[in-house]
Amino acid sequence: MSDAAGRTCPLHYRYGAERIAAAPEVAVETLYVVGGLYGNTQALDTIEAMAAQEPGPVTLCFNGDFNWFNVDDAGFAAINQRVLAHTAIQGNVEAELLADTADAGCGCAYPDSVGADTVARSNHIHARLKATAQRFPALQAQLAALPMFARFNVGGCRVGVVHGDADSLAGWRFDEANLGSLGDDAWLAEAFARANVDVFASTHTCLPALRQVATQDGLGVVINNGAAGMPNFAGVTQGLVTRISLRPSITPTAFGVQCRGIHVDALSVAYDHGAWSQNFLRNWPAQSDAHVSYYNRIQGQLQYTPAQALK
């Protein structure tokens, strides 16, 4: 595996926002965008239960990285069979499960701010997951057929669902640091125009963020749910899912705005933390790659706050 593995962005990841504009548009009343499930079956149970409690129809769209910690055969099969019953797009984790080589590692395209040890551990995690996936050729074929983005219409509000950013599956321009930088304002406004959307819903970079952007059609919204299957804020052992709907949420929101009269919110995913921790430890005991990289976060040991998510 090369030194660039985990930092490179494969050329075929770079679709360009114009292709989002040309994608088929699906009209829905309520859309849950579920990014970064990371193999957490307890979080999936909770999200499906939340959707069932909604007063109207709900479409679930899993926008990538629904696999990660589920390296056991039973966990891999369960997550993918359940997710693929809904709408889904590829994340870099799924895309690199299909790669003939390990040149891109986990496919995260990590920036230089992420340490080499973290990148190496991610590549090792992905290699183990890939070995599991190879025992499920039928599921691999279904994953290979998934698109890299999706397009929805919620009450006239045009939504582009991506994994990374407007131009690339592994792009980092919708991460919390870039969304907080004024240097990307021109690119952001242009991205909305090129994709012909009012909302971008993203994940990939693992920390939540929300930014309103001045566009030629008014205020657009970028919302990044961070992770549905891991904690996102200090002291909180819950995930987040993006909800875009004609109706206000019946459950409290972590943060949100309205766009074109449509509710765009991040909802807490209060999964069974104890059961998930036990599942995680069965695959990733102390000193394993995932334990070193993620266990503290799984226990809610972050410094990030909801206030920091609002850009």
Side-chain angles (χ1 to χ4, degrees):
M1 194 176 291
S2 74
D3 291 341
R7 294 200 189 273
T8 58
C9 183
L11 286 175
H12 67 276
Y13 282 12
R14 303 174 190 176
Y15 43 77
E18 293 81 2
R19 287 183 60 193
I20 299 172
E25 188 172 84
V26 179
V28 301
E29 292 185 18
T30 297
L31 176 67
Y32 279 21
V33 183
V34 186
L37 186 65
Y38 297 123
N40 185 337
T41 52
Q42 281 72 30
L44 181 52
D45 292 343
T46 300
I47 291 163
E48 289 181 335
M50 291 165 62
Q53 293 169 1
E54 291 274 357
V58 180
T59 297
L60 270 61
C61 179
F62 292 81
N63 61 325
D65 290 4
F66 37 93
N67 295 287
W68 194 229
F69 302 125
N70 53 322
V71 294
D72 60 299
D73 283 9
F76 185 84
I79 284 290
N80 286 285
Q81 288 166 358
R82 291 174 65 182
V83 166
L84 292 170
H86 301 282
T87 300
I89 66 173
Q90 292 180 0
N92 54 279
V93 171
E94 288 75 35
E96 290 307 310
L97 290 178
L98 316 168
D100 294 332
T101 71
D103 290 350
C106 60
C108 295
Y110 283 118
D112 291 342
S113 58
V114 177
D117 288 349
T118 297
V119 176
R121 288 193 296 268
S122 289
N123 291 338
H124 296 158
I125 293 166
H126 195 275
R128 188 173 165 193
L129 181 69
K130 189 171 182 176
T132 302
Q134 289 171 349
R135 296 193 285 273
F136 295 89
L139 288 176
Q140 279 195 302
Q142 288 180 269
L143 295 173
L146 295 178
M148 293 186 181
F149 47 82
R151 185 180 180 89
F152 295 90
N153 191 301
V154 184
C157 182
R158 303 160 298 172
V159 180
V161 176
V162 298
H163 179 69
D165 63 28
D167 288 320
S168 172
L169 182 147
W172 281 71
R173 296 181 90 162
F174 289 165
D175 89 308
E176 61 90 17
N178 282 319
L179 288 178
S181 168
L182 298 179
D184 253 7
D185 279 10
W187 178 86
L188 282 168
E190 181 185 277
F192 279 90
R194 290 188 292 121
N196 192 29
V197 298
D198 304 303
V199 175
F200 279 111
S202 172
T203 185
H204 182 52
T205 59
C206 221
L207 284 178
L210 184 145
R211 168 83 185 271
Q212 291 184 288
V213 179
T215 78
Q216 64 185 19
D217 295 326
L219 282 178
V221 175
V222 179
I223 185 166
N224 185 329
N225 75 298
M230 285 196 298
N232 294 274
F233 298 125
V236 178
T237 54
Q238 300 177 354
L240 288 175
V241 63
T242 293
R243 178 186 185 273
I244 304 171
S245 180
L246 301 172
R247 294 175 287 273
S249 175
I250 59 174
T251 59
T253 64
F255 55 83
V257 294
Q258 288 193 38
C259 182
R260 311 289 190 269
I262 299 302
H263 301 271
V264 181
D265 297 299
L267 303 185
S268 293
V269 180
Y271 55 79
D272 185 333
H273 170 69
W276 166 236
S277 294
Q278 290 177 10
N279 283 358
F280 176 87
L281 288 170
R282 277 192 284 271
N283 282 326
W284 301 102
Q287 308 308 313
S288 65
D289 289 299
H291 194 285
V292 172
S293 284
Y294 293 101
Y295 191 67
N296 285 347
R297 175 168 178 163
I298 287 170
Q299 300 309 310
Q301 295 178 30
L302 299 88
Q303 301 301 314
Y304 201 62
T305 67
Q308 289 176 281
L310 303 177
K311 305 301 177 181

